[in-house]
């Protein structure tokens, strides 16, 4: 059970770390029109603060209503139905993938701000961190309070100190000045002299970018069972602390960015006065420019402290998705909406398949978007606010059901108040969802608009398939139905020890008929096999199939089909001797015909296929023991 001081960094590292790039994204959008529209930044930031406060208040109600840690998926599924739950699940899956991609990319951005020489290797460093996180989680390295607490509190302390020092410097007349303060910004074509409507759209786009400060705000509601009792109260207090810290840090960073005249654009070549090569050199992040301005330059100890703490908390924020995504995948797989392999734990008790899937998709996005935070963020917010909106709408229905069963006036007033908060949250987040969709659609959000319905349709199709299979496998009334007769067929290529073992095993099962079946490739091989068969006096009839085109598989299938036609109510058991090898390259040399035959025979109704293994010496590195006499007869397919 976690105390609040440990639960805060574990569950809130994602929303707390988001303030490291939220202000940066607001400034980046507003500078599309040059410096003329930066006066909108305080109003945009204020709107983000109000939204963050409303979302935190709304999720405090979720914590109280679902102390079992329901999360958005369970809230939507229980109150709005399975379809709404699947929409939330698709949104959360996109959200988790983007959390890894954006957090790692933002962390690497801050590393490069401290060590610009690493900029040419940006994508490789990003992929390296994803690989490291993947390896840690596959090995079963669990989140520990200390692992998360130290970087998170270092980041909080560093940012609060930076804000305090910067504000004191400003108050005493020593205003911090960013390294980019003297640079001019060339506006994008068509962004000069915007009409009133275009200006509103620019402000809304900046607002939607600033809403990245809300990512991960719901995480505490998923982890209520991990808190110390009383769980709901402690979780609600922790969420309030998270909200207060996020608001203070976001507002402080935004204020210092404007005070220090920080310039940040999407394309450094639009910065007039930018030193170095604008095509290859990276800009320092907004938080890096503020730290350098406040603490006396980019070579100060506190500058490197801020950059290190920022990079660490962002990487740890990415790690939260490596716990959330596999768990969500496991729940969906348990509900038969995803392949059951995602419900399987590896030998380290981690959901290995979910971890690998998350790593592959996140890495592909990082590679496709060159590790650019700005380009990746365009895909981020849509999924976040979809889950926010449906979750809060589900809570409104939850409170409506509660009111129908509650008579106590005090309790009814509490429910009315909670419902009003969730209704406000649902309306506001729905409005933001529309704004995000409109302002970011052409900038990359259309990919999420495509991905979420595809995921929804895929999960529906998987569930439909599992339901159909369950109906087909449901047993008929009555007991076990036994076959009338069993006809055993042992496939033979040549007479050797694996063949003798297969024939002996087949005979030991007591079939009604037993036949050894071989396919004639050349007359010489057939004569040699018949001669050895007679010499050993094997008491099993040898049936030889002609194959003018050397088609072993087709000849065997023809024989099985004819046998099944002659005995439609009987069972045919086919025994295939196979080599078991110890080296991967040996698979290329053996069992190819056997694999093809099994693949084809499995589709034949009324046919059972049994593999009879023979372990070669390479499986254990020891020499085979002298052969022991075996009864029966058979042969192997190589």
């Amino acid at each position: 059970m976690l105390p609040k001081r440990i639960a805060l960094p574990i569950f809130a590292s994602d929303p707390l770390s988001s303030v490291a790039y939220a202000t940066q994204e607001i400034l980046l959008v507003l500078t599309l029109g040059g410096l003329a529209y930066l006066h909108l930044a305080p109003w945009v930031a204020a709107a983000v603060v109000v939204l963050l406060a409303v979302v935190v208040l709304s999720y405090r109600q979720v914590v109280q209503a679902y102390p079992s840690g329901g999360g958005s998926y369970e809230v939507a599924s229980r109150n709005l139905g399975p379809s709404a739950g699947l929409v939330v699940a698709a949104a959360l899956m996109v959200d988790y993938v983007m959390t890894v991609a954006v957090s790692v990319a933002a962390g690497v951005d801050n590393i490069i701000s401290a060590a610009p020489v690493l900029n040419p290797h940006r994508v490789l460093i990003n992929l390296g961190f994803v690989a490291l996180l993947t390896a840690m989680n596959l090995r079963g390295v669990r989140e520990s309070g200390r692992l998360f607490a130290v970087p998170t509190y270092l980041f909080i302390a560093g940012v609060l100190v930076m804000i305090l020092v910067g504000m004191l410097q400003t108050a005493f007349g020593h205003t911090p000045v960013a390294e980019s303060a003297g640079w001019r910004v060339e506006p994008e074509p068509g962004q000069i002299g915007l009409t009133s409507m275009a200006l509103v759209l620019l402000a809304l786009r900046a607002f939607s970018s600033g809403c990245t400060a809300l990512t991960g705000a719901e995480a505490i509601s998923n982890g209520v069972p991990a808190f110390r009792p009383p769980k709901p109260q402690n979780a609600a207090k922790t969420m309030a602390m998270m909200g207060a810290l996020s608001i203070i840090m976001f507002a402080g960073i935004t204020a210092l960015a404007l005070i220090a005249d920080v310039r940040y654009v999407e394309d450094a070549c639009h910065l007039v006065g930018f030193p170095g090569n604008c095509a290859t050199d990276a800009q320092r992040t907004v938080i890096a420019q503020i730290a350098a301005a406040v603490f006396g330059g980019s070579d100060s100890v506190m500058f490197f402290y801020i950059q290190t703490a920022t990079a660490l908390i962002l990487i740890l924020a990415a790690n939260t998705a490596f716990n959330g995504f596999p768990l969500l995948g496991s729940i969906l797989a348990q509900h038969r909406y995803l392949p059951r392999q995602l419900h399987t734990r590896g030998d380290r008790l981690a959901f290995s398949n979910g971890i690998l899937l998350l790593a592959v998709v996140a890495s592909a996005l990082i590679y496709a978007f060159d590790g650019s935070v700005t380009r990746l963020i365009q895909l981020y917010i849509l999924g976040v606010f979809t889950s926010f909106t449906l979750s809060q709408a589900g809570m409104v229905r939850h409170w409506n059901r509660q009111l129908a069963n509650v008579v106590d006036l005090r309790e009814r007033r509490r429910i009315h108040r909670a419902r009003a908060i969730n209704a406000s949250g649902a309306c506001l987040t729905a409005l933001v969802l529309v704004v995000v969709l409109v302002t970011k659609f052409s900038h990359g959000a259309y990919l999420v608009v495509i991905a979420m319905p595809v995921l929804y349709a895929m999960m529906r199709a998987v569930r439909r398939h599992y339901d159909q299979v369950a109906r087909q496998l449901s047993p008929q009334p009555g007991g076990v139905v036994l076959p009338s007769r069993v006809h055993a067929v042992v496939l033979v290529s040549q007479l050797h020890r694996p063949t003798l073992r297969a024939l002996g095993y087949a005979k030991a099962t007591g079939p009604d008929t037993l036949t050894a079946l071989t396919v004639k490739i050349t007359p010489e091989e057939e004569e040699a096999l018949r001669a050895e068969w007679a010499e050993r006096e094997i008491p099993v009839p040898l049936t030889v199939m002609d194959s003018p085109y050397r088609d072993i598989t087709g000849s065997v299938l023809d024989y099985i089909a004819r046998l099944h036609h002659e005995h439609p109510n009987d069972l045919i058991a086919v025994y295939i001797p196979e080599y078991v090898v110890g080296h991967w390259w040996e698979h290329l040399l053996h069992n190819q015909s056997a694999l093809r035959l099994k693949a084809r025979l499995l589709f034949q109704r009324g046919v059972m296929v049994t593999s009879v293994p023979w372990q070669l010496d390479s499986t254990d590195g020891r020499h085979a023991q002298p052969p022991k006499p075996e009864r029966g007869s058979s042969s192997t397919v190589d």
Side-chain angles (χ1 to χ4, degrees):
M1 298 300 171
L2 299 173
K4 294 188 291 294
R5 68 178 185 279
I6 300 299
L8 176 67
I10 288 179
F11 294 112
S13 60
D14 186 10
L16 291 175
S17 67
S18 299
V19 304
Y21 50 81
T23 299
Q24 176 174 298
E25 295 305 311
I26 293 175
L27 297 181
L28 186 145
V29 173
L30 292 178
T31 52
L32 290 174
L35 303 178
Y37 305 116
L38 285 179
H39 67 278
L40 297 173
W43 301 103
V44 172
V48 172
V49 166
V50 171
L51 179 63
L52 179 56
V54 170
V55 168
V56 169
L57 286 173
S58 299
Y59 271 97
R60 279 169 57 88
Q61 313 312 310
V62 176
V63 166
Q64 299 288 344
Y66 288 90
S68 60
S72 297
Y73 171 67
E74 184 174 350
V75 171
S77 297
R78 285 192 178 186
N79 298 291
L80 301 178
S83 295
L86 282 187
V87 173
V88 170
L92 287 174
M93 291 173 73
V94 172
D95 184 19
Y96 282 130
V97 171
M98 296 312 304
T99 295
V100 174
V102 172
S103 294
V104 170
V108 172
D109 258 7
N110 282 280
I111 292 173
I112 292 174
S113 292
V117 69
L118 297 176
N119 187 48
H121 311 291
R122 175 187 300 270
V123 175
L124 186 61
I125 296 172
N126 273 277
L127 297 178
F129 275 118
V130 174
L132 176 63
L133 291 171
T134 304
M136 288 173 55
N137 284 277
L138 287 176
R139 293 287 297 172
V141 177
R142 293 294 177 197
E143 298 174 341
S144 70
R146 185 170 299 175
L147 174 66
F148 269 69
V150 173
T152 304
Y153 283 123
L154 285 176
F155 175 75
I156 294 172
V159 170
L160 292 179
V161 168
M162 181 178 71
I163 293 171
L164 179 62
V165 172
M167 292 301 179
L168 288 175
Q169 289 175 346
T170 304
F172 287 103
H174 301 287
T175 304
V177 180
E179 64 181 15
S180 61
W183 305 344
R184 290 187 299 107
V185 178
E186 291 182 354
E188 294 280 347
Q191 301 295 325
I192 303 175
L194 296 177
T195 64
S196 298
M197 181 58 68
L199 189 59
V200 169
L201 288 175
L202 182 69
L204 289 176
R205 184 179 167 191
F207 169 71
S208 63
S209 293
C211 287
T212 54
L214 280 76
T215 56
E218 81 288 353
I220 291 176
S221 67
N222 298 331
V224 179
F227 282 81
R228 283 182 178 173
K231 297 176 186 293
Q233 290 82 351
N234 284 331
K237 290 177 181 177
T238 305
M239 183 163 282
M241 286 190 291
M242 180 270 292
L245 286 170
S246 296
I247 289 172
I248 291 170
M249 290 193 295
F250 171 70
I253 290 173
T254 303
L256 283 180
L258 296 174
I259 290 170
D261 291 329
V262 173
R263 311 288 185 245
Y264 195 87
V265 297
E266 185 171 358
D267 184 358
C269 291
H270 288 166
L271 287 172
V272 179
F274 180 76
N277 187 339
C278 65
T280 57
D281 295 341
Q283 306 168 76
R284 280 199 172 95
T285 60
V286 167
I287 197 169
Q289 293 190 47
I290 295 172
V294 170
F295 296 121
S298 58
D299 56 353
S300 64
V301 173
M302 285 302 296
F303 170 81
F304 286 104
Y305 170 91
I306 292 293
Q307 294 312 107
T308 302
T310 303
L312 280 175
I313 193 174
L314 285 165
I315 299 300
L316 288 180
N319 192 60
T320 60
F322 276 96
N323 294 285
F325 182 92
L327 181 59
L328 175 62
S330 171
I331 293 172
L332 291 170
Q334 188 176 9
H335 295 168
R336 296 183 296 177
Y337 287 115
L338 285 178
R340 289 175 179 169
Q341 291 86 338
L342 292 176
H343 186 54
T344 305
R345 292 182 183 268
D347 56 356
R348 298 282 178 163
L349 299 182
F351 294 111
S352 305
N353 293 324
I355 291 170
L356 289 172
L357 178 61
L358 174 62
V360 169
V361 178
S363 297
L365 284 172
I366 288 172
Y367 182 82
F369 288 87
D370 299 321
S372 169
V373 176
T374 300
R375 294 171 61 193
L376 287 167
I377 275 182
Q378 310 303 323
L379 287 67
Y380 199 1
I381 309 301
L382 200 61
V384 173
F385 279 92
T386 299
S387 61
F388 281 177
T389 302
L390 290 176
S391 174
Q392 297 313 306
M395 286 302 300
V396 172
R397 177 166 290 187
H398 167 81
W399 295 126
N400 288 338
R401 290 172 178 169
Q402 292 291 311
L403 282 172
N405 302 314
V406 174
V407 178
D408 183 71
L409 291 179
R410 176 180 292 182
E411 181 64 13
R412 287 182 67 85
R413 283 195 296 269
R414 186 191 71 80
I415 293 176
H416 277 295
R417 184 171 60 252
R419 185 179 64 174
I421 293 173
N422 286 127
S424 300
C427 293
L428 192 55
T429 54
L431 179 62
V432 174
L433 178 61
V434 173
V435 170
V436 171
L437 183 60
V438 171
T439 59
K440 290 187 174 291
F441 184 83
S442 61
H443 300 279
Y446 68 91
L447 294 173
V448 179
V449 174
I450 296 172
M452 286 176 53
V454 168
L455 285 172
Y456 177 88
M458 180 194 72
M459 289 188 284
R460 278 290 189 192
V462 170
R463 175 59 185 264
R464 197 159 48 245
H465 168 77
Y466 280 133
D467 288 346
Q468 290 173 354
V469 170
R471 286 194 296 269
Q472 294 176 27
L473 300 182
S474 179
Q476 300 295 325
V480 178
V481 179
L482 299 177
S484 302
R485 302 177 70 202
V486 176
H487 304 280
V489 178
V490 179
L491 302 185
V492 176
S493 65
Q494 53 184 307
L495 191 57
H496 47 30
R497 294 164 69 187
T499 295
L500 296 175
R501 170 177 288 183
L503 229 166
Y505 177 72
K507 191 171 185 178
T509 61
D512 295 282
T513 65
L514 176 58
T515 303
L517 178 66
T518 188
V519 177
K520 182 174 70 174
I521 302 299
T522 66
E524 293 77 15
E525 289 182 359
E526 178 197 358
E527 291 176 5
L529 180 60
R530 286 187 182 277
E532 191 171 4
W533 204 269
E535 181 182 350
R536 288 180 173 270
E537 299 181 349
I538 297 176
V540 175
L542 177 64
T543 300
V544 180
M545 293 289 295
D546 288 326
S547 178
Y549 301 106
R550 298 174 178 264
D551 181 14
I552 297 175
T553 302
S555 299
V556 172
L557 291 174
D558 289 342
Y559 178 84
I560 299 298
R562 187 166 64 250
L563 185 61
H564 181 67
H565 180 72
E566 295 172 357
H567 307 279
N569 297 320
D570 296 350
L571 180 68
I572 301 172
V574 180
Y575 296 86
I576 305 177
E578 289 189 70
Y579 302 138
V580 179
V581 299
H583 303 109
W584 66 268
W585 52 266
E586 291 180 286
H587 287 284
L588 304 175
L589 305 177
H590 304 287
N591 297 324
Q592 300 305 308
S593 298
L595 291 174
R596 289 193 296 271
L597 273 169
K598 282 197 295 185
R600 298 288 297 275
L601 288 170
L602 289 174
F603 287 93
Q604 306 298 316
R605 294 184 181 275
V607 177
M608 303 293 130
V609 182
T610 302
S611 294
V612 182
W614 180 270
Q615 292 78 15
L616 297 179
D617 291 351
S618 60
T619 56
D620 56 9
R622 295 174 295 179
H623 292 294
Q625 298 297 321
K628 296 179 180 180
E630 299 191 39
R631 296 180 181 179
S633 64
S634 182
S635 180
T636 221
V637 182
D638 291 337

